[in-house]
Amino acid sequence: MKILAIEASGSAASVALTEDNVLKAEFTLNHKMTHSQTLMPLIDEIKKYLELDMDDIDFVACSAGPGSFTGLRIGAATAKGIAMGINKPIVPVSTLAALAYNVYMTDAVICPIIDARRRQVYTGIYRWEFGKLVCDKEDGIELIDDILEMVENYELPVIFVGDGILTYKNLIESYEDFILAPASCNMQRAGSVASMAYELVQEEKYVNSGEFVPVYLRKSQAERELEEKMHGAEKDD
């Protein structure tokens, strides 16, 4: 089974190809260029080095969110375009679950955090249990102080992953049993998206390309600003 994975929910663009859950190639680029400039060239590199025929791909996996609105839209459009072209299904993978998957088989609690601004983070709570990644708290938006209080109640070491640890590094380090994941683990990776997708395929958790929609969790900043303006105009009336 060949899975092409696309990750564009954050600052890094990442693509990977696995075959029977063996990583054959992975390219990750965290630079100034937009995902629209980088994703297809990275996929072309995989095609070139592996001499890959796109028709041989069985599933297209895509990070489904939460994350950057622009990045998710570009990633989804890329995944849908490829999947439609080869008539293959898409496997949606939670961005936060894939981040937690970067820290494999630990006894600690794993708390992925993605900066959502206004002192909020996209977050969830995950643990490894009998070789399976278990979600203790579903993906959502929380104030950073609230999620820190939640995971502190576990009375276990807590590993934080995701770009939110860069924003809240000092706050997290003020807790005794909180650990910041190293750079090799705290960034979204298509390899983890592909590995999670392999498990989801076994559970038949995939969709037709036309049905795939990213999970934003909240409205974009532009939409929120427009609503605020309209609400203000209603008050003036």
Side-chain angles (χ1 to χ4, degrees):
M1 180 198 303
K2 291 182 180 179
I3 297 177
L4 175 68
I6 296 170
E7 165 57 74
S9 65
S11 60
S14 184
V15 297
L17 193 285
T18 59
E19 184 173 358
D20 297 329
N21 209 24
V22 175
L23 183 63
K24 293 294 185 179
E26 182 178 28
F27 291 99
T28 300
L29 184 63
N30 187 18
H31 196 52
K32 298 177 181 178
M33 292 183 290
T34 65
H35 296 329
S36 59
Q37 295 174 294
T38 55
L39 281 179
M40 287 309 301
L42 293 178
I43 292 170
D44 286 339
E45 288 296 296
I46 286 181
K47 289 169 57 181
K48 179 178 72 175
Y49 282 109
L50 298 183
E51 298 179 345
L52 176 67
D53 184 339
M54 296 296 281
D55 288 326
D56 291 338
I57 294 169
D58 297 291
F59 294 92
V60 178
C62 185
S63 177
S68 158
F69 285 85
T70 302
L72 288 173
R73 285 168 180 157
I74 294 171
T78 304
K80 292 178 78 163
I82 292 172
M84 286 180 179
I86 59 177
N87 194 29
K88 297 296 171 62
I90 291 179
V91 188
V93 178
S94 159
T95 303
L96 295 168
L99 272 169
Y101 204 94
N102 288 352
V103 186
Y104 188 70
M105 288 299 288
T106 175
D107 291 331
V109 175
I110 308 170
C111 185
I113 54 173
I114 299 174
D115 188 15
R117 301 183 180 179
R118 300 183 179 184
R119 208 170 174 80
Q120 294 178 319
V121 290
Y122 299 116
T123 187
I125 300 174
Y126 293 84
R127 292 179 297 107
W128 286 98
E129 192 174 274
F130 303 112
K132 188 82 172 177
L133 187 66
V134 176
C135 178
D136 276 3
K137 179 192 176 303
E138 293 186 1
D139 298 353
I141 303 175
E142 299 287 346
L143 289 169
I144 183 62
D145 307 274
D146 291 343
I147 191 63
L148 294 182
E149 183 178 338
M150 287 181 207
V151 293
E152 187 181 24
N153 290 331
Y154 276 81
E155 298 182 352
L156 288 169
V158 182
I159 300 175
F160 289 85
V161 296
D163 65 17
I165 68 176
L166 302 176
T167 305
Y168 299 106
K169 178 178 184 292
N170 293 336
L171 179 59
I172 294 170
E173 287 182 331
S174 68
Y175 289 78
E176 184 176 351
D177 291 325
F178 288 0
I179 304 162
L180 301 178
S184 59
C185 299
N186 70 11
M187 183 182 295
Q188 290 96 317
R189 289 185 50 215
S192 291
V193 172
S195 293
M196 285 211 69
Y198 181 83
E199 296 182 8
L200 292 171
V201 167
Q202 315 309 313
E203 301 170 13
E204 299 186 352
K205 293 182 178 179
Y206 47 83
V207 298
N208 293 328
S209 57
E211 298 173 351
F212 175 57
V213 178
V215 178
Y216 297 115
L217 288 185
R218 75 176 183 189
K219 297 176 181 178
S220 69
Q221 182 176 348
E223 290 172 319
R224 294 196 305 272
E225 289 177 353
L226 178 60
E227 286 185 354
E228 288 172 3
K229 286 180 181 179
M230 292 177 66
H231 184 64
E234 289 175 358
K235 283 187 175 180
D236 292 340
D237 291 342

